[in-house]
Amino acid sequence: MSGTPSTPANPADSGDAAALKSFRTPIGTHDLAPPESGRWVALLGAFIAAADRAGFGYLQTPIFEDIGVFARIGEGTDVVGKEMYEFFDRSDRHLALRPECTASVCRAFAQHRPTTPWKVWYQGPFFRYEAPQAGRYRQFHQIGAETLGTDDPDADVEIIALAAEFFRAIGLQQVPLLVNSMGDLGTRVAYGEALSSYLQRRAGDVDPQDRDKIAHHPLRILDSKREATAAVAAEAPRITDYLTAATAAHFERVREGLDALGIDHEVEHKLVRGLDYYTRTTFEFRATSLDAAQDTICGGGRYNGLVEALGGPPTPGIGFALGIERLLLACDAEGVFEVPAQRAEVWVIDTAGGAAARDLTHELRAVGIRADRAFDDRSMRAQMRAADRSGAEIALIVGSDEVDAGTVTVRPLRRPDGGDVDTPQQTVPRAELLPTLRRIFDELNAEGVA
Ligand code: HAM
C-alpha cells in the first residue's frame, strides 16, 4: 500500500459524523416490506388469475419514455402540465417518468403492431408530483388492463367486468360503479361550447380557486370537489344530451351488457375524468368507505384517438387502472383482504452446532414444506420461543443425542387452526422423517376437524 490517504469504503470507518447522515424515503414515496408486502403479492395473484381467465396477457413497458408519449395525454391536464417528473438524460434526450400507462400501451401498440384485439394487463410504479396525503402519493402503484383494436361495446363491458370480478375476488363490496359517455370528437366540441357558455354565465358562483378552469379546462369544473363549484356543476348541461346516434347506441349497449352481467351501475353525468384522451365510455369505481377527495380506486374509459396520436393506425381502445394503495385503504376500511399470515409449517431447532438445521430446512423446502430456523447458535429456550412465534405446527429438534443416534425429535406444536395438539412427541430415524411428518400433518388436520 502506498502512503496516500484513501477514502474508506464504509463511511462508518472514517469516524466522520457528517458521512453518517441517515436517509429516508423521499416525500410521497414509501417502502413496502413484510408482512404488508405479502398482501400486495396476494393482490397481484388475485388480479393475475382474473386477467388470465379473461384472456389478458402481461405487458411491461419502460418506467421512463420520451416525454412526447405522455404529452399526448393532454398538455392541459394536471398530470402532464403540473405533475410530471421530467428530465434530460446524459445525451440530452427529454424523458419523463411514466405518470400512467395507457399512453405507453398505445405507444407499444403503434411500435409492435400486434394482432387485434390486443388484450393486455400491467402493473407497477407510476409517478406524479402531487401534494402527498393518505391515498395520494408521488410514487404510487397501479394495476390496469387495456383492450386495443375493437370498438365493440361488449369489449367495454368485458373490461368493466374484469375490474368488478377482481373486487369480488378480494371481497371488496362498497365500491359502486359510475358510468358516463363522452361521445365522440363532435360531441366534445358541441358540448364544450355549451358548457363554456353556461359556465361564463355562472362564473360569479364558481369557487374563485376554480375560475381559471372556465377558460382553460371547462370539463374540469365538473369534477371539482369545491362546494360552490359543485353546485354550479350540478346544473350544467349534460354531455349525454349531446351524444350522436352512434355514440348513444354504444352507451346503451354497454349499459345493457352491465345489466345482463348483474353489474350494478349508475350514470354520473359529471364523470369526465382527468385525462384528455377519453371518447365514449368513461367509468369509475369509487369506494364509499374513503374520503371523497381520494375515493376513486379505479378509473378508465375509451380512447379511440390515442394510438393514432402516437403514430399508429386508427385503433380504438378501452381500459382501466386501479390504484393499489387506495384499493388497500378501502380493504382496510371494509375489513377485508387482510395481510396473509406468513407461517412456517416446520421449525428446526438445532442445539448441536447448526449443521442439521442447515441441511433439514433445505431438504424440507425441496419437497414443498415451508421450513425455517433460527441462526447464531441460540439457546434451546430462545429457539423454542422463535418456533412458537413462527406459528409452525411442528418443531424438529436436533441435539447432540439425536446427532449421535442419527435421529430427529418431532414435536407437534399446534394444529393448523392454532388449536392445542394431542399428538405426542416422538424421536424417529432421519430416514423416516418425511413419512412421519406427513402422518403428523394429517393427524393435526384431522384433530382440527374433529
Ligand atoms: P387515473 O384516474 O389518472 O387514470 O388513475 C387511475 C387510478 O390510479 C386512480 O383512480 C387512483 O386509484 C390511482 N392514482 C392516481 N394517482 C394517484 C396518486 N397520486 N396516488 C395514489 N393513487 C393514485 C389513469 O391513470 C388511466 N391511465 C386509466 C385508464 C386506463 N384509462 C384508460 N385505460
Side-chain angles (χ1 to χ4, degrees), residues 28 73 79 83 99-103 122 126-131 133-146 159 273-275 277-278 283-285 294-303 317-327:
I73 296 168
V79 168
E83 298 166 0
E100 60 107 54
C101 212
T102 310
Y122 51 83
F126 294 87
F127 306 86
R128 298 182 191 177
Y129 194 80
E130 298 204 68
Q133 51 192 291
R136 195 174 291 277
Y137 310 95
R138 290 185 175 164
Q139 176 176 332
F140 59 99
H141 298 78
Q142 286 186 343
I143 301 177
E146 317 277 347
I159 270 283
R273 312 264 308 126
L275 311 167
Y277 49 60
Y278 290 110
F283 61 94
E284 284 185 0
F285 289 85
Q294 281 86 234
D295 63 352
T296 303
I297 57 167
C298 174
R302 263 201 178 277
Y303 43 88
I318 168 105
F320 67 78
L322 53 90
I324 300 183
E325 288 86 353
R326 247 181 236 187
L327 182 73

Side-chain angles (χ1 to χ4, degrees), residues 324-409:
I324 300 183
E325 288 86 353
R326 247 181 236 187
L327 182 73
L328 290 176
L329 285 176
C331 287
D332 287 342
E334 282 193 35
V336 299
F337 204 69
E338 285 165 7
V339 177
Q342 237 191 345
R343 271 186 328 112
E345 290 168 297
V346 171
W347 193 271
V348 183
I349 294 173
D350 180 339
T351 56
R358 178 193 63 204
D359 301 347
L360 277 175
T361 46
H362 182 73
E363 264 172 49
L364 295 174
R365 290 167 186 167
V367 296
I369 294 174
R370 284 201 305 278
D372 215 342
R373 55 167 294 189
F375 289 105
D376 300 320
D377 220 0
R378 312 284 297 278
S379 69
M380 174 73 186
R381 259 185 70 181
Q383 291 193 53
M384 211 45 228
R385 267 203 308 272
D388 263 340
R389 267 200 311 270
S390 77
E393 287 143 55
I394 297 173
L396 300 183
I397 303 168
V398 183
S400 45
D401 289 352
E402 281 87 355
V403 170
D404 291 345
T407 56
V408 180
T409 297

